[in-house]
Amino acid sequence: MLKELCGRFYSLLKKEAAHENEPQRILFLLRNIMLLLGLYFLIFPLVMCLVSPRTRGWIGYVFAVLAALIFFGTYRLQVRTGVVMCVTLQLAWVVIFILMYGWDCGIQHLMFEMLVLVYFAIYNGVGYKIGYTAFLFAVRFVLFVYCRRNQPYYGLTENATVVLQIMNMILSFVLMGVVCAMFSSNVESAEKKLVLYNEQLKKQAGTDPLTGLWNRRQMMQYITEKHQKEPNMAFTLGMGDIDFFKRINDHWGHDCGDAVLVWITRHMSEVLGEHARLCRWGGEEFIFFFPDMNGDQVCEILNVLRMRLDNDPFDWKGEWLKVTMTFGVEENDFSSSIDTLLKNVDDKLYMGKKQGRDRVIY
């Protein structure tokens, strides 16, 4: 039963505004602030009856009613109006409280929460926020000067003053904590989304959209950084090219060509994935980076891939197409640049094409 009531109450707090395109988080924050203020205003007269029976603490009930009206008003009013009413209520309480009970009770610290609330909840320009800051400072300064020259309307004992200081300190810290927690979570959420979005953009920038493999840019960046960090690392480059790919596109269409690329990517990933980084270099060409492997080892793996393609024709709408690949292999000689190694492996691939295709040249 209690859990159900709590659920309904939470749903009430989260209920959307009557107006469209209103920031729901700020609306939720406002309702929580008004609940906390309303509770404070209800407790205040009881505290005053205990610590200073002669004073008139009933004003807390008046402000509790106002807080309740603003709370229910958040379901009808615009969020901006709700923020202004919330701040106005708090400022009125600060002014009346200080005039009645003096500066030493610490209620003026509530102004810092009011400052933070308006800065983050109302999307105005810098000039508006500077003016609002100056206004709060002026009110605080005038109240301070007034209290230095005049006695409060109700004189309090030292014990009563201490109790009110504690009570107002708790209120100020709780409200400031609630406001900061809400807006900091907004910032963290936005930053997290931005980081994820940037990661997605980075992945998209370095990924071939058709095959899901790295593109030329990402592979070159990876090889270059790897070579710079470990200049003495042994590695082997492989380059593969689909034989007669233009004929496939011309005869069966580009949809067939795209399907062949995806199909070959699956085979390459299954055979080479544990051993190499794969990249679609461009068109029907692929680059493979084999770390800590020599040319002979790479030739064995590429021959496994080549024979697998030979023995597994591609099914295109009921027609079986024999799709083969030619490969070039170049081992790092620890003296040539990356560009030179890539040129060498491309030359060997071209040599394989001239020798009849469907082979590995090392």
Side-chain angles (χ1 to χ4, degrees):
M1 183 66 179
L2 180 61
K3 185 177 180 180
E4 183 180 352
L5 289 175
C6 291
R8 289 183 178 179
F9 183 67
Y10 182 76
S11 299
L12 179 66
L13 292 178
K14 295 286 288 186
K15 186 178 180 180
E16 295 185 359
H19 302 273
E20 295 182 356
N21 301 321
E22 293 283 11
Q24 297 302 317
R25 281 176 173 264
I26 297 177
L27 194 63
F28 179 69
L29 172 64
L30 275 180
R31 290 167 183 166
N32 279 280
I33 290 176
M34 297 319 301
L35 284 177
L36 291 170
L37 285 172
L39 181 62
Y40 167 86
F41 293 141
L42 289 174
I43 294 175
F44 177 77
L46 302 178
V47 172
M48 294 305 294
C49 287
L50 295 176
V51 300
S52 185
R54 296 180 181 180
T55 59
R56 298 181 180 179
W58 54 264
I59 193 171
Y61 294 130
V62 175
F63 274 82
V65 172
L66 294 175
L69 292 175
I70 296 175
F71 175 86
F72 289 107
T74 59
Y75 295 94
R76 295 290 182 183
L77 302 172
Q78 292 184 338
V79 172
R80 179 189 178 90
T81 304
V83 172
V84 172
M85 294 179 67
C86 175
V87 171
T88 302
L89 180 72
Q90 293 181 70
L91 186 59
W93 176 256
V94 169
V95 173
I96 293 174
F97 193 102
I98 290 176
L99 294 178
M100 292 180 66
Y101 305 111
W103 184 265
D104 293 338
C105 293
I107 193 62
Q108 66 274 13
H109 301 312
L110 197 60
M111 288 184 172
F112 294 116
E113 175 266 331
M114 296 157 54
L115 186 66
V116 174
L117 176 62
V118 169
Y119 259 64
F120 290 96
I122 296 182
Y123 307 125
N124 285 88
V126 176
Y128 174 88
K129 293 176 180 178
I130 292 176
Y132 176 69
T133 304
F135 170 72
L136 280 186
F137 173 80
V139 172
R140 183 184 174 102
F141 184 76
V142 169
L143 288 172
F144 173 75
V145 173
Y146 175 85
C147 291
R148 295 286 292 178
R149 295 183 177 181
N150 301 275
Q151 294 296 320
Y153 190 80
Y154 293 108
L156 300 177
T157 64
E158 183 177 352
N159 289 337
T161 301
V162 170
V163 170
L164 290 182
Q165 283 179 344
I166 294 173
M167 186 176 176
N168 292 330
M169 186 189 310
I170 292 173
L171 174 68
S172 299
F173 269 84
V174 169
L175 289 182
M176 181 66 83
V178 170
V179 171
C180 291
M182 178 63 71
F183 290 123
S184 64
S185 65
N186 287 351
V187 173
E188 290 172 1
S189 176
E191 287 182 348
K192 185 176 180 180
K193 290 179 180 178
L194 183 61
V195 169
L196 291 175
Y197 180 66
N198 287 336
E199 289 179 353
Q200 290 176 355
L201 288 179
K202 184 177 179 181
K203 183 177 179 181
Q204 291 173 2
T207 303
D208 172 57
L210 177 63
T211 63
L213 298 177
W214 282 358
N215 59 21
R216 179 190 293 236
R217 173 182 172 275
Q218 183 68 19
M219 179 60 92
M220 282 301 298
Q221 180 179 339
Y222 174 79
I223 295 176
T224 302
E225 291 178 355
K226 196 80 171 175
H227 191 249
Q228 289 175 348
K229 291 179 181 179
E230 304 177 57
N232 297 320
M233 181 187 70
F235 66 86
T236 298
L237 293 176
M239 179 177 283
D241 184 272
I242 302 174
D243 298 327
F244 303 112
F245 186 70
K246 185 176 184 302
R247 185 184 301 173
I248 295 174
N249 279 328
D250 292 343
H251 191 274
W252 283 281
H254 288 279
D255 287 345
C256 178
D258 289 345
V260 167
L261 288 169
V262 174
W263 174 78
I264 278 186
T265 297
R266 177 172 57 84
H267 281 294
M268 289 190 302
S269 299
E270 291 174 358
V271 176
L272 309 180
E274 297 182 359
H275 308 283
R277 293 281 184 173
L278 312 181
C279 156
R280 185 182 178 190
W281 195 244
E284 69 274 21
E285 286 187 338
F286 299 86
I287 284 285
F288 319 112
F289 178 81
F290 295 86
D292 301 317
M293 296 185 69
N294 59 40
D296 293 329
Q297 293 171 315
V298 170
C299 285
E300 290 181 15
I301 296 173
L302 290 178
N303 271 309
V304 171
L305 173 60
R306 185 183 62 81
M307 289 185 289
R308 179 169 175 170
L309 295 176
D310 288 345
N311 297 323
D312 184 18
F314 174 67
D315 179 14
W316 176 247
K317 298 180 179 180
E319 293 189 63
W320 295 95
L321 311 181
K322 182 175 176 61
V323 181
T324 62
M325 290 187 72
T326 302
F327 301 94
V329 176
E330 180 69 12
E331 187 177 321
N332 181 22
D333 58 10
F334 301 99
S335 59
S336 301
S337 66
I338 297 298
D339 290 337
T340 300
L341 294 173
L342 287 170
K343 182 181 181 304
N344 292 342
V345 75
D346 185 59
D347 291 341
K348 291 180 178 179
L349 173 64
Y350 182 71
M351 187 185 303
K353 292 284 189 180
K354 290 182 65 177
Q355 293 180 8
R357 295 180 169 84
D358 192 16
R359 63 195 62 216
V360 179
I361 301 298
Y362 173 40

